[in-house]
Amino acid sequence: MEIVVILIYSVSLFLIFAYSLMQLNLLFNYLKSKRKKDASPKFDFNNAAEIPVVTIQLPLFNELYVVERLLDKIATIKYPKDKLEIQVLDDSTDESVEITAKKIEELKNMGFDISHIRRIDRSGFKAGALKEGLEIAKGEYIAIFDADFLPEDDFLYQTIPFFKDEKIGVVQTRWGHLNRNYSTLTKIQAFALDAHFTLEQVGRNIGGHFINFNGTAGVWRKTCILDAGNWEGDTLTEDLDLSYRAQLKGWKFKFLENVVSPAELPMVISAAKSQQFRWNKGGAENFKKMKWKVLASKKTPLKTKIHGILHLLNSSMFVNVFIVGLLSIPMLYIKSSSPEYKPYFLATSFFILSTVLFFVSYWFTFKKVNGGGIKNFCKYVGHFFTFFSVAIGFSFHNSIAVLEGHLGKKSAFIRTPKFNVNSIKDSWRGNKYLRKKLSFSVIIEGLLMLYFLFGIFSAFKLMDFGLLPFYLMSFLGFGFVFVNSLRTAS
């Protein structure tokens, strides 16, 4: 039994280390991008003949709190009205439908070409709505915004010119965070997303590897969508799916790190969990769907294939983190009772390098957004270990999502409740879309909190403090998730 535990623990440690090496390679690419001048061809918008027709798609489902704010913001986007179409793809089933319809009439009276597109059913969920809208879209380019996004008024002038290059299929912008400092939860989410939108998206893009359209705050070339096979609703991350199909067909993606599209982060843990579940399960579903297509692609370089497979396996890292955490306490007792394994345990200490590599890599992304200096570095250290702790706390919940994805268990597209930013800490409590029911997984997270408290006790009992920091972060992480889940359900 000891050998089985050691073997599983070792494999998970190695996979985490391999992932950290990929992050290091992306860091090198990211730093290289800072020395490279962008010489991309662009449309000349001083020439009216070069300004193309654009369709903005706004997929909605029960967005009572943010739909008016969204439409007001879209109305401020600078672009010739005769070259702009707005499609409100509204699958809503509540009173927000009437609010949306009234607002659309206001914009029509202001001269906007805007339509309210309703479907009989939600087949295909967001992918189905986007596909139906695409059938009648007038634009050569399709900009997409989720309901919680507030794009800057020059968004189209910042993005559309890059489509001068006929190989470009997508232009994606970086997400900003309207409520970054609302709470510890929003700070952690902002930290993680900043790493994705700087280190990972820029690193992959500059290295010529596959990146993904992030579902919103980006623009597609209509012919790229159609050439890649159009939107499909067989995974929970239709954006990742279409992105890979498009790039395997030879289309290029352009990521604009310096064009920021502000959005709202989930402010309560149940909303963050529903979003995390969808993203992580969808990632696993796409690995299952796309892995052989990536590996069999004759036009794709080997290095890009490796990055692509690891990218599709992003969410699966939560399974490895959870396994390492769960087995770390039995490993402590094996180490104490079996001195013959001493050389093995000395060797595994090498894998602390994984944490060092993540720490170094994320510092550069944090510095990009927040600035450098000693003060910000000290701030970063606190953010990193808070993020690391809560990521461990999410590992059980996200592992369930990943396993469901790999096993092919289907589930509905559960939208993330939007709140409309408010500085009052408990302003979320009146949100009608929040689910108050306490799931069984929350009980498991409470037990895992106690499990790692036992780990802390064991470290002192056995006088072996090598894993004590990990046990402490795991205890705090699961405690954070458990307590906040109880608070949301109350």
Side-chain angles (χ1 to χ4, degrees):
M1 186 62 183
E2 285 184 353
I3 295 297
V4 173
V5 171
I6 290 172
L7 181 62
I8 296 172
Y9 183 79
S10 301
V11 169
S12 294
L13 269 183
F14 178 79
L15 290 173
I16 292 171
F17 179 66
Y19 184 72
S20 72
L21 289 177
M22 183 196 72
Q23 296 292 101
L24 181 63
N25 181 252
L26 293 177
L27 175 61
F28 290 151
N29 288 346
Y30 178 76
L31 295 176
K32 184 169 67 175
S33 75
K34 303 298 117 181
R35 303 189 298 269
K36 189 174 180 180
K37 187 176 180 180
D38 191 342
S40 302
K42 298 179 186 177
F43 287 127
D44 179 10
F45 276 12
N46 291 318
N47 179 1
E50 288 206 24
I51 301 179
V53 178
V54 174
T55 296
I56 295 177
Q57 290 188 324
L58 307 173
L60 304 178
F61 180 67
N62 295 347
E63 304 292 2
L64 178 64
Y65 301 104
V66 295
V67 64
E68 288 184 282
R69 182 184 72 175
L70 169 68
L71 291 172
D72 283 337
K73 190 64 176 176
I74 294 298
T76 68
I77 288 183
K78 297 173 183 175
Y79 208 74
K81 285 185 179 179
D82 62 329
K83 299 273 183 90
L84 181 64
E85 175 192 30
I86 303 169
Q87 291 183 337
V88 181
L89 310 174
D90 190 3
D91 284 354
S92 300
T93 57
D94 65 359
E95 65 269 33
S96 66
V97 175
E98 289 75 26
I99 295 171
T100 302
K102 182 179 178 182
K103 196 69 188 178
I104 287 172
E105 283 303 310
E106 289 180 19
L107 295 185
K108 281 182 178 179
N109 293 333
M110 293 168 60
F112 286 97
D113 178 4
I114 182 169
S115 55
H116 194 186
I117 300 174
R118 304 270 295 140
R119 296 195 298 163
I120 296 173
D121 62 73
R122 286 186 74 207
S123 58
F125 304 108
K126 180 180 176 182
L130 293 170
K131 185 176 182 179
E132 185 163 317
L134 191 71
E135 291 176 2
I136 57 173
K138 301 172 185 176
E140 301 171 57
Y141 306 101
I142 312 296
I144 300 171
F145 298 103
D146 284 348
D148 53 331
F149 275 74
L150 297 176
E152 300 294 346
D153 59 10
D154 63 349
F155 178 87
L156 295 179
Y157 284 110
Q158 293 276 9
T159 54
I160 298 298
F162 287 96
F163 286 102
K164 178 80 170 181
D165 181 348
E166 294 183 356
K167 294 180 180 179
I168 296 291
V170 171
V171 175
Q172 174 69 55
T173 66
R174 179 162 63 91
W175 294 4
H177 314 295
L178 295 167
N179 56 337
R180 174 191 295 271
N181 295 316
Y182 180 85
S183 65
T184 299
L185 179 63
T186 57
K187 289 176 182 176
I188 293 163
Q189 293 174 89
F191 182 92
L193 286 169
D194 287 344
H196 170 69
F197 279 101
T198 51
L199 175 70
E200 295 184 359
Q201 289 288 64
V202 175
R204 290 193 180 98
N205 204 204
I206 199 72
H209 308 313
F210 295 161
I211 67 169
N212 57 296
F213 169 65
N214 292 101
T216 177
V219 187
W220 282 85
R221 188 189 296 269
K222 185 177 180 179
T223 52
C224 173
I225 297 175
L226 297 174
D227 182 54
N230 215 323
W231 296 103
E232 295 179 358
D234 57 346
T235 73
L236 292 179
T237 47
E238 72 294 321
D239 45 3
L240 179 61
D241 171 31
L242 186 58
S243 296
Y244 266 70
R245 285 189 279 121
Q247 288 167 108
L248 285 169
K249 292 279 283 187
W251 290 96
K252 303 299 181 185
F253 283 28
K254 182 73 175 178
F255 180 72
L256 303 179
E257 182 186 13
N258 295 321
V259 180
V260 180
S261 299
E264 178 183 292
L265 295 161
M267 296 192 290
V268 297
I269 201 132
S270 61
K273 277 184 167 182
S274 67
Q275 186 180 73
Q276 287 281 312
F277 193 90
R278 188 174 74 249
W279 287 353
N280 286 289
K281 182 171 181 177
E285 288 175 330
N286 272 289
F287 172 77
K288 186 176 180 181
K289 179 177 180 177
M290 302 303 302
K291 62 181 183 294
W292 295 120
K293 294 178 182 178
V294 171
L295 293 172
S297 174
K298 294 180 180 179
K299 297 179 180 178
T300 305
L302 177 60
K303 189 174 181 180
T304 296
K305 288 181 181 182
I306 294 170
H307 269 280
I309 293 298
L310 288 172
H311 183 200
L312 291 169
L313 280 171
N314 262 359
S315 61
S316 299
M317 285 302 111
F318 279 106
V319 178
N320 293 306
V321 169
F322 181 66
I323 289 172
V324 167
L326 198 64
L327 297 184
S328 63
I329 298 176
M331 290 293 287
L332 184 69
Y333 282 91
I334 291 172
K335 181 181 179 183
S336 174
S337 61
S338 306
E340 65 271 22
Y341 291 127
K342 185 177 180 180
Y344 165 79
F345 284 101
L346 286 173
T348 57
S349 62
F350 168 79
F351 289 101
I352 191 67
L353 184 60
S354 298
T355 304
V356 174
L357 293 179
F358 284 123
F359 183 86
V360 172
S361 298
Y362 288 0
W363 161 242
F364 284 93
T365 67
F366 184 88
K367 185 168 65 170
K368 163 66 181 178
V369 176
N370 300 279
I374 296 296
K375 184 178 179 181
N376 274 332
F377 180 76
C378 293
K379 187 177 177 182
Y380 165 73
V381 173
H383 275 67
F384 178 82
F385 286 103
T386 303
F387 158 74
F388 204 92
S389 299
V390 177
I392 295 169
F394 269 93
S395 64
F396 172 72
H397 174 269
N398 290 348
S399 292
I400 297 299
V402 169
L403 292 174
E404 284 190 9
H406 284 305
L407 294 173
K409 180 180 178 181
K410 294 297 180 183
S411 57
F413 186 105
I414 305 299
R415 62 178 287 281
T416 304
K418 315 298 191 305
F419 298 87
N420 205 335
V421 177
N422 191 311
S423 60
I424 301 172
K425 285 296 179 183
D426 286 339
S427 59
W428 52 267
R429 286 196 176 276
N431 192 299
K432 63 178 288 185
Y433 301 127
L434 283 177
R435 290 182 296 170
K436 297 288 187 178
K437 185 178 179 181
L438 196 66
S439 67
F440 181 69
S441 66
V442 174
I443 306 301
I444 301 297
E445 286 159 351
L447 293 174
L448 286 166
M449 175 187 70
L450 297 178
Y451 178 71
F452 286 104
L453 181 61
F454 172 71
I456 295 171
F457 165 78
S458 298
F460 282 96
K461 177 184 176 183
L462 300 175
M463 297 302 289
D464 186 338
F465 303 110
L467 288 174
L468 181 60
F470 180 77
Y471 296 149
L472 182 60
M473 287 190 292
S474 300
F475 168 71
L476 293 173
F478 279 108
F480 177 87
V481 172
F482 175 65
V483 170
N484 279 279
S485 296
L486 291 179
R487 183 168 172 253
T488 303
S490 63

